Amino acid sequence: MSLAAEVERLKEERNAVLLAHNYQRPEVQDVADFVGDSLYLSRKARDADRPVIVFAGVRFMAETAKILNPTRRVLLPDLKAGCGLADAITAEQLRTWKAAHPGAVVVAYNNTSADVKAEADYCCTSSNAVKVVEQIPADREVLFLPDMFLGDYVRQKTGRAMHLWVGDCPVHAKLRPEGLARARAAHPGAPVIAHPECGCASAALPHVDRVLSTDGMVRFAEETRAPEVLVATEVGILHRMERLNPATRFTPIDAGAVCPYMKEIDLADVRDSLALDRYEIDVPPATQERARRSLERMVAA
Ligand code: 13P
Ligand code: SF4
């Protein structure tokens, strides 16, 4: 029996739903029940009625799933699937930052640990960060963390003077405006779509047609009639784009933009996760309690 068939069989046996992020390996995406961006998958996890959720993504996504649907058993097939951006701030660092800005509203990107979310007022993802920040009364001071490029982009779109934590994603920070401008010059006429975590996303705006979350990029890819599109994000997303629109060529701005954390999970890990019931992601109940309000605001926005 093929690995994919084993996964299908085990999903039924365990009564499990398999969620996969757009950056996962193609063979993992192909056996998932739902593939999407971090907001879409958070909502799917919140609404999951099966007792087991296998999260083919990274740890913070599995923690979010647990907090939003605490009676489910949440499995992450490889514990090395972390996130360099989520590691950019600890709860202790956030408490110190908050103490320096009493009364400020804290907006945490979903790419943070559960302990950090427990200190936040709002969570957001790349697809609703602008919308979330727009909900905050204009007279309130805002601390935005941990991605300074996403934060700067949101600051530009909303006109809000937010304080930004100086953190970045090691994969996207390398995708800089100069590289985007070079690619654009080398592929005249091809639209450029970029993720807001890209290095200095707001400075890159003149070289970019659309700044979008990963699902926003997939939707653009599906609908475009352009012969070629330049894509500035992690290259795992190209699989879905090529499947959804074989008539367009999707060219990565940097073919080396590979997230090592997102590639930790392979099909054998998914099979073993289901067969051996590993690795359970749990979040202490007190942390869940404190993080839930900000996450509920995220999935509602
Ligand atoms: P999305 O919110 O667009 O899925 O991005 C998540 C992520 O980890 C990007 O690096
Ligand atoms: Fe984290 Fe960056 Fe990887 Fe996304 S691409 S999971 S932000 S390290």
Side-chain angles (χ1 to χ4, degrees):
M1 190 189 283
S2 72
L3 262 180
E6 269 189 84
V7 169
E8 293 297 351
R9 182 180 61 77
L10 285 162
K11 272 198 298 185
E12 286 315 307
E13 207 173 286
R14 295 289 316 273
N15 200 7
V17 63
L18 175 59
L19 308 180
H21 188 265
N22 288 320
Y23 297 159
Q24 288 290 293
R25 295 169 185 270
E27 60 275 21
V28 173
Q29 294 189 31
D30 289 348
V31 291
D33 298 295
F34 300 101
V35 183
D37 71 2
S38 127
L39 183 61
Y40 173 81
L41 295 178
S42 299
R43 290 179 175 145
K44 286 293 172 199
R46 175 199 58 187
D47 299 339
D49 50 11
R50 294 192 170 209
V52 178
I53 299 172
V54 179
F55 216 121
V58 291
R59 188 185 182 102
F60 72 80
M61 296 178 178
E63 287 181 346
T64 291
K66 183 68 189 176
I67 296 166
L68 289 172
N69 201 344
T71 61
R72 304 297 179 251
R73 190 170 182 81
V74 178
L75 303 177
L76 181 68
D78 190 321
L79 291 176
K80 293 191 296 303
C83 168
L85 176 56
D87 292 342
I89 187 166
T90 63
E92 187 54 43
Q93 286 172 313
L94 176 51
R95 282 191 287 273
T96 305
W97 201 29
K98 282 167 69 171
H101 298 272
V105 175
V106 176
V107 182
Y109 195 25
N110 194 30
N111 301 38
T112 48
S113 68
D115 288 340
V116 165
K117 290 184 176 86
E119 298 288 336
D121 299 295
Y122 292 81
C123 288
C124 67
T125 74
S126 60
S127 63
N128 66 6
V130 169
K131 213 165 160 187
V132 167
V133 168
E134 280 172 349
Q135 290 176 8
I136 301 168
D139 59 340
R140 301 291 301 275
E141 198 178 8
V142 178
L143 306 182
F144 187 96
L145 63 109
D147 190 294
M148 61 180 163
F149 296 125
L150 173 64
D152 187 40
Y153 173 72
V154 173
R155 199 154 63 174
Q156 181 155 328
K157 293 305 266 186
T158 59
R160 287 294 289 259
M162 306 189 299
H163 301 281
L164 308 182
W165 186 257
V166 183
D168 61 22
C169 157
V171 180
H172 286 87
K174 293 195 196 107
L175 301 172
R176 310 274 319 162
E178 314 77 75
L180 290 169
R182 262 198 312 275
R184 201 180 182 97
H187 300 258
V192 181
I193 54 176
H195 195 276
E197 283 174 21
C198 286
C200 212
S202 62
L205 282 176
H207 313 296
V208 168
D209 293 277
R210 300 284 298 277
V211 176
L212 297 162
S213 77
T214 56
D215 265 8
M217 294 171 108
V218 169
R219 276 193 297 277
F220 180 96
E222 193 175 9
E223 286 160 15
T224 187
R225 293 293 162 263
E228 184 180 23
V229 174
L230 301 176
V231 181
T233 194
E234 210 273 350
V235 296
I237 200 166
L238 299 171
H239 177 63
R240 261 188 101 192
M241 292 177 165
E242 286 159 0
R243 286 273 289 266
L244 289 166
N245 183 353
T248 294
R249 186 161 76 248
F250 297 100
T251 307
I253 294 282
D254 176 358
V258 177
C259 172
Y261 304 101
M262 283 283 182
K263 301 301 185 262
E264 287 289 356
I265 295 169
D266 62 21
L267 208 47
D269 295 325
V270 175
R271 188 261 325 265
D272 293 347
S273 174
L274 284 159
L276 306 171
D277 193 37
R278 68 191 197 191
Y279 295 93
E280 190 188 0
I281 297 300
D282 210 354
V283 175
T287 309
Q288 290 193 31
E289 267 318 298
R290 295 185 60 220
R292 192 165 291 118
R293 182 187 58 147
S294 53
L295 275 174
E296 280 174 352
R297 286 173 159 173
M298 175 183 95
V299 286

mmCIF file of all heavy atoms in Angstrom, residues 21-23 36-39 58 60-61 83 85 109-111 125-127 169 171-172 195-197 212-217 233-234 259 262, ligand 1:
data_model
loop_
_atom_site.group_PDB
_atom_site.id
_atom_site.type_symbol
_atom_site.label_atom_id
_atom_site.label_comp_id
_atom_site.label_asym_id
_atom_site.label_seq_id
_atom_site.Cartn_x
_atom_site.Cartn_y
_atom_site.Cartn_z
ATOM 1 N N HIS A 21 -0.649 23.487 5.694
ATOM 2 C CA HIS A 21 -0.381 24.873 5.267
ATOM 3 C C HIS A 21 0.124 24.889 3.824
ATOM 4 O O HIS A 21 0.703 23.908 3.336
ATOM 5 C CB HIS A 21 0.653 25.526 6.199
ATOM 6 C CG HIS A 21 0.813 26.986 5.939
ATOM 7 N ND1 HIS A 21 1.798 27.494 5.113
ATOM 8 C CD2 HIS A 21 0.072 28.048 6.352
ATOM 9 C CE1 HIS A 21 1.663 28.819 5.050
ATOM 10 N NE2 HIS A 21 0.625 29.182 5.802
ATOM 11 N N ASN A 22 -0.082 26.027 3.176
ATOM 12 C CA ASN A 22 0.332 26.216 1.770
ATOM 13 C C ASN A 22 1.826 25.981 1.528
ATOM 14 O O ASN A 22 2.231 25.810 0.380
ATOM 15 C CB ASN A 22 0.014 27.649 1.340
ATOM 16 C CG ASN A 22 -1.474 27.898 1.165
ATOM 17 O OD1 ASN A 22 -2.178 27.044 0.642
ATOM 18 N ND2 ASN A 22 -1.952 29.066 1.587
ATOM 19 N N TYR A 23 2.661 26.022 2.572
ATOM 20 C CA TYR A 23 4.104 25.814 2.385
ATOM 21 C C TYR A 23 4.531 24.361 2.580
ATOM 22 O O TYR A 23 5.718 24.041 2.502
ATOM 23 C CB TYR A 23 4.907 26.654 3.394
ATOM 24 C CG TYR A 23 4.771 28.157 3.280
ATOM 25 C CD1 TYR A 23 5.081 28.969 4.370
ATOM 26 C CD2 TYR A 23 4.381 28.784 2.108
ATOM 27 C CE1 TYR A 23 4.988 30.353 4.296
ATOM 28 C CE2 TYR A 23 4.278 30.166 2.030
ATOM 29 C CZ TYR A 23 4.580 30.942 3.126
ATOM 30 O OH TYR A 23 4.488 32.312 3.060
ATOM 31 N N GLY A 36 -4.416 25.522 3.208
ATOM 32 C CA GLY A 36 -4.673 26.958 3.169
ATOM 33 C C GLY A 36 -3.698 27.763 3.985
ATOM 34 O O GLY A 36 -2.635 27.269 4.385
ATOM 35 N N ASP A 37 -4.072 29.025 4.225
ATOM 36 C CA ASP A 37 -3.201 29.910 5.005
ATOM 37 C C ASP A 37 -3.517 29.770 6.494
ATOM 38 O O ASP A 37 -4.399 29.001 6.896
ATOM 39 C CB ASP A 37 -3.271 31.368 4.505
ATOM 40 C CG ASP A 37 -4.586 32.073 4.806
ATOM 41 O OD1 ASP A 37 -5.484 31.477 5.436
ATOM 42 O OD2 ASP A 37 -4.722 33.245 4.398
ATOM 43 N N SER A 38 -2.808 30.542 7.281
ATOM 44 C CA SER A 38 -2.910 30.325 8.714
ATOM 45 C C SER A 38 -4.282 30.720 9.260
ATOM 46 O O SER A 38 -4.789 30.078 10.186
ATOM 47 C CB SER A 38 -1.699 30.997 9.348
ATOM 48 O OG SER A 38 -1.889 31.851 10.309
ATOM 49 N N LEU A 39 -4.949 31.701 8.685
ATOM 50 C CA LEU A 39 -6.290 32.083 9.149
ATOM 51 C C LEU A 39 -7.324 31.010 8.769
ATOM 52 O O LEU A 39 -8.129 30.571 9.596
ATOM 53 C CB LEU A 39 -6.693 33.440 8.559
ATOM 54 C CG LEU A 39 -8.043 33.974 9.033
ATOM 55 C CD1 LEU A 39 -8.057 34.180 10.543
ATOM 56 C CD2 LEU A 39 -8.391 35.292 8.333
ATOM 57 N N VAL A 58 3.288 24.283 11.371
ATOM 58 C CA VAL A 58 4.319 24.501 12.395
ATOM 59 C C VAL A 58 3.656 24.626 13.768
ATOM 60 O O VAL A 58 2.440 24.759 13.870
ATOM 61 C CB VAL A 58 5.214 25.719 12.062
ATOM 62 C CG1 VAL A 58 6.092 25.414 10.846
ATOM 63 C CG2 VAL A 58 4.391 26.968 11.824
ATOM 64 N N PHE A 60 3.212 26.775 16.216
ATOM 65 C CA PHE A 60 2.266 27.786 16.690
ATOM 66 C C PHE A 60 0.875 27.549 16.095
ATOM 67 O O PHE A 60 -0.138 27.873 16.727
ATOM 68 C CB PHE A 60 2.773 29.219 16.406
ATOM 69 C CG PHE A 60 2.734 29.654 14.966
ATOM 70 C CD1 PHE A 60 1.554 30.085 14.370
ATOM 71 C CD2 PHE A 60 3.887 29.663 14.193
ATOM 72 C CE1 PHE A 60 1.519 30.499 13.040
ATOM 73 C CE2 PHE A 60 3.862 30.077 12.869
ATOM 74 C CZ PHE A 60 2.677 30.493 12.288
ATOM 75 N N MET A 61 0.799 26.987 14.907
ATOM 76 C CA MET A 61 -0.497 26.715 14.281
ATOM 77 C C MET A 61 -1.234 25.616 15.056
ATOM 78 O O MET A 61 -2.450 25.689 15.267
ATOM 79 C CB MET A 61 -0.308 26.298 12.820
ATOM 80 C CG MET A 61 0.295 27.399 11.965
ATOM 81 S SD MET A 61 0.559 26.878 10.263
ATOM 82 C CE MET A 61 1.200 28.419 9.564
ATOM 83 N N CYS A 83 9.228 27.808 14.285
ATOM 84 C CA CYS A 83 9.123 28.988 13.413
ATOM 85 C C CYS A 83 10.135 30.014 13.899
ATOM 86 O O CYS A 83 10.092 30.441 15.064
ATOM 87 C CB CYS A 83 7.703 29.563 13.467
ATOM 88 S SG CYS A 83 7.543 31.201 12.702
ATOM 89 N N LEU A 85 10.365 33.077 13.194
ATOM 90 C CA LEU A 85 9.720 34.352 13.543
ATOM 91 C C LEU A 85 9.085 34.268 14.936
ATOM 92 O O LEU A 85 9.234 35.195 15.749
ATOM 93 C CB LEU A 85 8.675 34.700 12.478
ATOM 94 C CG LEU A 85 7.828 35.947 12.707
ATOM 95 C CD1 LEU A 85 8.694 37.186 12.898
ATOM 96 C CD2 LEU A 85 6.874 36.158 11.532
ATOM 97 N N TYR A 109 0.902 38.743 16.041
ATOM 98 C CA TYR A 109 0.754 37.904 14.847
ATOM 99 C C TYR A 109 0.530 36.473 15.326
ATOM 100 O O TYR A 109 1.052 36.071 16.380
ATOM 101 C CB TYR A 109 2.068 38.019 14.068
ATOM 102 C CG TYR A 109 2.094 37.541 12.640
ATOM 103 C CD1 TYR A 109 0.958 37.478 11.856
ATOM 104 C CD2 TYR A 109 3.309 37.191 12.057
ATOM 105 C CE1 TYR A 109 1.025 37.054 10.534
ATOM 106 C CE2 TYR A 109 3.394 36.775 10.749
ATOM 107 C CZ TYR A 109 2.244 36.698 9.987
ATOM 108 O OH TYR A 109 2.317 36.278 8.685
ATOM 109 N N ASN A 110 -0.214 35.689 14.570
ATOM 110 C CA ASN A 110 -0.418 34.291 14.956
ATOM 111 C C ASN A 110 0.922 33.559 15.102
ATOM 112 O O ASN A 110 1.035 32.598 15.850
ATOM 113 C CB ASN A 110 -1.319 33.599 13.920
ATOM 114 C CG ASN A 110 -1.852 32.259 14.403
ATOM 115 O OD1 ASN A 110 -2.050 32.046 15.604
ATOM 116 N ND2 ASN A 110 -2.079 31.349 13.481
ATOM 117 N N ASN A 111 1.945 34.051 14.394
ATOM 118 C CA ASN A 111 3.275 33.419 14.449
ATOM 119 C C ASN A 111 3.982 33.795 15.755
ATOM 120 O O ASN A 111 5.001 34.502 15.775
ATOM 121 C CB ASN A 111 4.138 33.884 13.262
ATOM 122 C CG ASN A 111 3.518 33.558 11.916
ATOM 123 O OD1 ASN A 111 2.302 33.645 11.752
ATOM 124 N ND2 ASN A 111 4.340 33.191 10.952
ATOM 125 N N THR A 125 -3.519 37.492 11.480
ATOM 126 C CA THR A 125 -2.641 36.786 10.542
ATOM 127 C C THR A 125 -2.320 37.772 9.422
ATOM 128 O O THR A 125 -2.835 38.903 9.408
ATOM 129 C CB THR A 125 -3.307 35.526 9.943
ATOM 130 O OG1 THR A 125 -4.275 35.953 8.988
ATOM 131 C CG2 THR A 125 -3.945 34.655 10.994
ATOM 132 N N SER A 126 -1.547 37.308 8.456
ATOM 133 C CA SER A 126 -1.185 38.219 7.363
ATOM 134 C C SER A 126 -2.429 38.616 6.576
ATOM 135 O O SER A 126 -2.451 39.677 5.949
ATOM 136 C CB SER A 126 -0.159 37.552 6.444
ATOM 137 O OG SER A 126 -0.712 36.378 5.897
ATOM 138 N N SER A 127 -3.474 37.778 6.591
ATOM 139 C CA SER A 127 -4.633 38.135 5.765
ATOM 140 C C SER A 127 -5.588 39.102 6.452
ATOM 141 O O SER A 127 -6.405 39.724 5.777
ATOM 142 C CB SER A 127 -5.365 36.895 5.245
ATOM 143 O OG SER A 127 -5.889 36.161 6.293
ATOM 144 N N CYS A 169 11.011 37.147 9.751
ATOM 145 C CA CYS A 169 11.030 35.755 9.329
ATOM 146 C C CYS A 169 12.321 35.535 8.556
ATOM 147 O O CYS A 169 12.584 36.250 7.583
ATOM 148 C CB CYS A 169 9.816 35.478 8.439
ATOM 149 S SG CYS A 169 10.074 34.053 7.359
ATOM 150 N N VAL A 171 13.144 33.516 6.384
ATOM 151 C CA VAL A 171 12.954 33.157 4.968
ATOM 152 C C VAL A 171 12.533 34.397 4.165
ATOM 153 O O VAL A 171 13.129 34.723 3.126
ATOM 154 C CB VAL A 171 11.875 32.050 4.838
ATOM 155 C CG1 VAL A 171 11.668 31.656 3.381
ATOM 156 C CG2 VAL A 171 12.237 30.842 5.692
ATOM 157 N N HIS A 172 11.544 35.119 4.671
ATOM 158 C CA HIS A 172 11.018 36.266 3.917
ATOM 159 C C HIS A 172 11.902 37.509 4.008
ATOM 160 O O HIS A 172 11.879 38.352 3.099
ATOM 161 C CB HIS A 172 9.610 36.618 4.415
ATOM 162 C CG HIS A 172 8.567 35.642 3.968
ATOM 163 N ND1 HIS A 172 8.268 34.503 4.670
ATOM 164 C CD2 HIS A 172 7.763 35.624 2.872
ATOM 165 C CE1 HIS A 172 7.323 33.832 4.037
ATOM 166 N NE2 HIS A 172 7.003 34.477 2.946
ATOM 167 N N HIS A 195 4.334 38.385 -0.207
ATOM 168 C CA HIS A 195 3.808 38.221 1.148
ATOM 169 C C HIS A 195 4.280 39.408 1.989
ATOM 170 O O HIS A 195 5.413 39.872 1.819
ATOM 171 C CB HIS A 195 4.335 36.898 1.731
ATOM 172 C CG HIS A 195 3.611 36.453 2.949
ATOM 173 N ND1 HIS A 195 3.916 36.916 4.208
ATOM 174 C CD2 HIS A 195 2.554 35.606 3.106
ATOM 175 C CE1 HIS A 195 3.086 36.346 5.084
ATOM 176 N NE2 HIS A 195 2.263 35.552 4.439
ATOM 177 N N PRO A 196 3.433 39.893 2.931
ATOM 178 C CA PRO A 196 3.839 41.077 3.706
ATOM 179 C C PRO A 196 4.993 40.842 4.677
ATOM 180 O O PRO A 196 5.512 41.815 5.243
ATOM 181 C CB PRO A 196 2.558 41.475 4.460
ATOM 182 C CG PRO A 196 1.702 40.252 4.460
ATOM 183 C CD PRO A 196 2.044 39.495 3.223
ATOM 184 N N GLU A 197 5.418 39.592 4.885
ATOM 185 C CA GLU A 197 6.599 39.360 5.723
ATOM 186 C C GLU A 197 7.893 39.630 4.961
ATOM 187 O O GLU A 197 8.983 39.576 5.552
ATOM 188 C CB GLU A 197 6.647 37.901 6.195
ATOM 189 C CG GLU A 197 5.705 37.561 7.308
ATOM 190 C CD GLU A 197 5.711 36.071 7.597
ATOM 191 O OE1 GLU A 197 6.678 35.370 7.236
ATOM 192 O OE2 GLU A 197 4.723 35.592 8.162
ATOM 193 N N LEU A 212 -0.116 40.130 -0.411
ATOM 194 C CA LEU A 212 -1.207 39.211 -0.072
ATOM 195 C C LEU A 212 -0.734 38.129 0.901
ATOM 196 O O LEU A 212 0.448 37.753 0.898
ATOM 197 C CB LEU A 212 -1.703 38.515 -1.352
ATOM 198 C CG LEU A 212 -2.307 39.418 -2.436
ATOM 199 C CD1 LEU A 212 -2.325 38.689 -3.781
ATOM 200 C CD2 LEU A 212 -3.711 39.846 -2.052
ATOM 201 N N SER A 213 -1.678 37.599 1.680
ATOM 202 C CA SER A 213 -1.395 36.409 2.489
ATOM 203 C C SER A 213 -1.212 35.230 1.527
ATOM 204 O O SER A 213 -1.489 35.348 0.324
ATOM 205 C CB SER A 213 -2.571 36.118 3.427
ATOM 206 O OG SER A 213 -3.621 35.512 2.690
ATOM 207 N N THR A 214 -0.822 34.083 2.062
ATOM 208 C CA THR A 214 -0.602 32.954 1.146
ATOM 209 C C THR A 214 -1.894 32.552 0.431
ATOM 210 O O THR A 214 -1.867 32.257 -0.763
ATOM 211 C CB THR A 214 0.036 31.746 1.873
ATOM 212 O OG1 THR A 214 -0.783 31.365 2.981
ATOM 213 C CG2 THR A 214 1.425 32.074 2.370
ATOM 214 N N ASP A 215 -3.049 32.586 1.130
ATOM 215 C CA ASP A 215 -4.301 32.250 0.423
ATOM 216 C C ASP A 215 -4.672 33.340 -0.582
ATOM 217 O O ASP A 215 -5.234 33.036 -1.643
ATOM 218 C CB ASP A 215 -5.460 32.049 1.413
ATOM 219 C CG ASP A 215 -5.637 30.574 1.781
ATOM 220 O OD1 ASP A 215 -4.780 29.752 1.388
ATOM 221 O OD2 ASP A 215 -6.618 30.251 2.467
ATOM 222 N N GLY A 216 -4.370 34.583 -0.247
ATOM 223 C CA GLY A 216 -4.617 35.672 -1.199
ATOM 224 C C GLY A 216 -3.798 35.463 -2.467
ATOM 225 O O GLY A 216 -4.283 35.670 -3.598
ATOM 226 N N MET A 217 -2.571 35.003 -2.289
ATOM 227 C CA MET A 217 -1.705 34.743 -3.448
ATOM 228 C C MET A 217 -2.248 33.580 -4.272
ATOM 229 O O MET A 217 -2.227 33.616 -5.504
ATOM 230 C CB MET A 217 -0.273 34.437 -2.980
ATOM 231 C CG MET A 217 0.399 35.622 -2.321
ATOM 232 S SD MET A 217 1.974 35.147 -1.558
ATOM 233 C CE MET A 217 3.093 35.888 -2.663
ATOM 234 N N THR A 233 7.488 34.671 -2.023
ATOM 235 C CA THR A 233 7.199 34.013 -0.733
ATOM 236 C C THR A 233 7.878 32.653 -0.748
ATOM 237 O O THR A 233 8.663 32.337 -1.662
ATOM 238 C CB THR A 233 5.672 33.904 -0.466
ATOM 239 O OG1 THR A 233 5.470 33.559 0.909
ATOM 240 C CG2 THR A 233 4.988 32.863 -1.330
ATOM 241 N N GLU A 234 7.562 31.834 0.256
ATOM 242 C CA GLU A 234 8.139 30.497 0.361
ATOM 243 C C GLU A 234 7.665 29.657 -0.834
ATOM 244 O O GLU A 234 6.487 29.703 -1.221
ATOM 245 C CB GLU A 234 7.651 29.880 1.690
ATOM 246 C CG GLU A 234 8.595 28.900 2.316
ATOM 247 C CD GLU A 234 8.435 27.482 1.837
ATOM 248 O OE1 GLU A 234 7.443 27.189 1.118
ATOM 249 O OE2 GLU A 234 9.278 26.649 2.169
ATOM 250 N N CYS A 259 11.359 27.345 3.647
ATOM 251 C CA CYS A 259 11.290 27.382 5.118
ATOM 252 C C CYS A 259 11.642 25.989 5.655
ATOM 253 O O CYS A 259 10.894 25.033 5.437
ATOM 254 C CB CYS A 259 9.893 27.778 5.576
ATOM 255 S SG CYS A 259 9.710 27.612 7.374
ATOM 256 N N MET A 262 8.868 24.386 7.824
ATOM 257 C CA MET A 262 7.694 23.879 7.102
ATOM 258 C C MET A 262 8.004 22.572 6.375
ATOM 259 O O MET A 262 7.090 21.833 6.008
ATOM 260 C CB MET A 262 7.207 24.925 6.097
ATOM 261 C CG MET A 262 6.429 26.049 6.729
ATOM 262 S SD MET A 262 4.747 25.496 7.126
ATOM 263 C CE MET A 262 4.048 27.010 7.788
HETATM 264 P P1 13P B 1 -0.003 33.035 6.049
HETATM 265 O O1 13P B 1 -0.712 33.711 7.187
HETATM 266 O O2 13P B 1 -0.051 33.876 4.815
HETATM 267 O O3 13P B 1 -0.443 31.654 5.873
HETATM 268 O O4 13P B 1 1.537 32.976 6.424
HETATM 269 C C1 13P B 1 1.981 32.219 7.502
HETATM 270 C C2 13P B 1 3.444 32.138 7.521
HETATM 271 O O5 13P B 1 4.050 31.453 8.304
HETATM 272 C C3 13P B 1 4.143 32.955 6.550
HETATM 273 O O6 13P B 1 5.496 32.760 6.670
#
